[in-house]
Amino acid sequence: AAEYRRIVDQHLKPFLGKVRVDRIKRSDALKIHSDLAAKPYIANRTIAVLSAIMTFAERLEFRNQQSNPCRGVERFKEKKRKRPLTPSELERLWAYLETPSATANPFVIGAIRLLLLTGMRREEVLTLCRAEVDEQAGLVHLKDAKTGPRSVVLSSEALHTIQRLPKLEDSPYVFPGLKKGHRLVNISKAWRAIRTELGFPEVRIHDLRHTVATMLARSASLVVVRDALGHAEISTTSDYAHATRADIKSAIDEYANLVKSCR
């Protein structure tokens, strides 16, 4: 939702903000798309958001039926990006996360630390409730992960990251937001500032997950990596084998120690 609002504010309102919804034409959609050609992913997402708005306008009878101006706009080809951190970049990032500035939000720093230590997906971290954390067993029980319910095995360092965060009585979340009772919604702005300051501005938050997978694969089997990150499958054959919890714990503890040694 936050990303959709950003697209509307940055790419749709400046061009279409004063145009009546029933007067938006296919030429408008084509121009917006072509103007963003240098950023294929953003261009395609912008057209997708505009298309959804137009379809909704048809449903409300603000536009004629089947008049969506985005229909038939050919999307740009997108290249899948995978940009794990290098060991030296990992060293700089961990040092920063260990000694953040006094003005840094501890929950934002903690969320990035947990992403880096576990390979969890961003929404899995940001929606994490304290009731889902089993400190005794060193597990996080996710009820609604992308691939279904799963348990995330925590390294000692990851568990420590959670334990040392302030606990707010009025919030059930591990990473509460500014509004009372709400969770932390977006860490993208903070991450952009951190990655720019540390010299790898092209690294996305999701690339932290790629980093974990890459580093784990150096010392653990792909089965362990698959189960540690909650992937649905590696291949049909590997679906018949499952890593034990001890295997995952050993691998992620070794990885956490590697991260901690990058100072």
Side-chain angles (χ1 to χ4, degrees):
E3 177 65 8
Y4 291 168
R5 291 190 190 99
R6 189 185 71 81
I7 287 174
V8 169
D9 290 340
Q10 292 189 10
H11 305 301
L12 295 180
K13 279 187 177 179
F15 188 70
L16 299 174
K18 296 182 179 180
V19 181
R20 268 180 39 168
V21 70
D22 61 336
R23 293 180 180 174
I24 296 175
K25 303 175 182 178
R26 189 166 186 269
S27 59
D28 297 322
L30 287 168
K31 178 168 175 50
I32 290 173
H33 194 238
S34 64
D35 285 350
L36 292 169
K39 301 176 180 179
Y41 180 87
I42 295 297
N44 292 345
R45 297 295 83 70
T46 299
I47 289 300
V49 171
L50 179 60
S51 180
I53 293 172
M54 296 296 99
T55 297
F56 188 60
E58 290 180 18
R59 192 181 308 160
L60 297 179
E61 298 184 351
F62 293 156
R63 289 184 62 92
N64 293 329
Q65 297 301 303
Q66 303 299 316
S67 67
N68 191 329
C70 300
R71 187 175 291 111
V73 175
E74 186 175 353
R75 307 305 198 257
F76 294 122
K77 291 184 178 180
E78 299 177 23
K79 293 182 180 179
K80 290 186 177 181
R81 297 190 304 161
K82 292 184 180 180
R83 172 58 167 88
L85 293 167
T86 66
S88 62
E89 291 169 342
L90 182 59
E91 178 180 355
R92 295 200 300 277
L93 176 58
W94 187 256
Y96 179 93
L97 297 175
E98 284 279 79
T99 56
S101 66
T103 59
N105 184 326
F107 297 113
V108 172
I109 297 298
I112 295 174
R113 282 173 59 96
L114 195 62
L115 287 167
L116 183 60
L117 288 168
T118 65
M120 291 170 66
R121 298 174 179 88
R122 170 168 45 185
E123 290 308 301
E124 291 174 346
V125 168
L126 296 185
T127 59
L128 183 63
C129 292
R130 291 200 171 273
E132 296 175 305
V133 180
D134 184 344
E135 295 186 12
Q136 189 70 25
L139 296 171
V140 165
H141 299 291
L142 299 176
K143 298 178 182 178
D144 191 26
K146 183 177 181 180
T147 55
R150 73 181 182 102
S151 293
V152 178
V153 181
L154 299 174
S155 65
S156 300
E157 188 67 25
L159 181 58
H160 179 60
T161 292
I162 294 174
Q163 290 174 329
R164 72 181 189 178
L165 287 169
K167 296 181 180 180
L168 303 187
E169 294 183 0
D170 60 356
S171 177
Y173 297 105
V174 174
F175 303 101
L178 296 177
K179 292 184 179 180
K180 184 176 180 179
H182 288 68
R183 67 175 178 87
L184 187 63
V185 174
N186 201 329
I187 59 175
S188 296
K189 182 178 179 180
W191 175 245
R192 284 195 294 270
I194 291 171
R195 70 187 186 184
T196 300
E197 180 178 341
L198 297 181
F200 38 84
E202 74 285 2
V203 175
R204 305 162 302 159
I205 290 177
H206 192 68
D207 287 323
L208 299 182
R209 184 168 164 84
H210 293 310
T211 299
V212 176
T214 300
M215 299 300 287
L216 280 177
R218 291 185 174 186
S219 59
S221 71
L222 292 182
V223 174
V224 171
V225 177
R226 181 196 63 190
D227 289 359
L229 271 66
H231 288 148
E233 60 182 35
I234 301 172
S235 65
T236 303
T237 302
S238 67
D239 275 341
Y240 290 90
H242 293 278
T244 66
R245 188 167 292 168
D247 288 336
I248 299 174
K249 183 73 162 68
S250 176
I252 62 174
D253 271 334
E254 182 175 343
Y255 169 68
N257 288 333
L258 175 64
V259 173
K260 288 176 65 177
S261 67
C262 293
R263 298 177 180 174

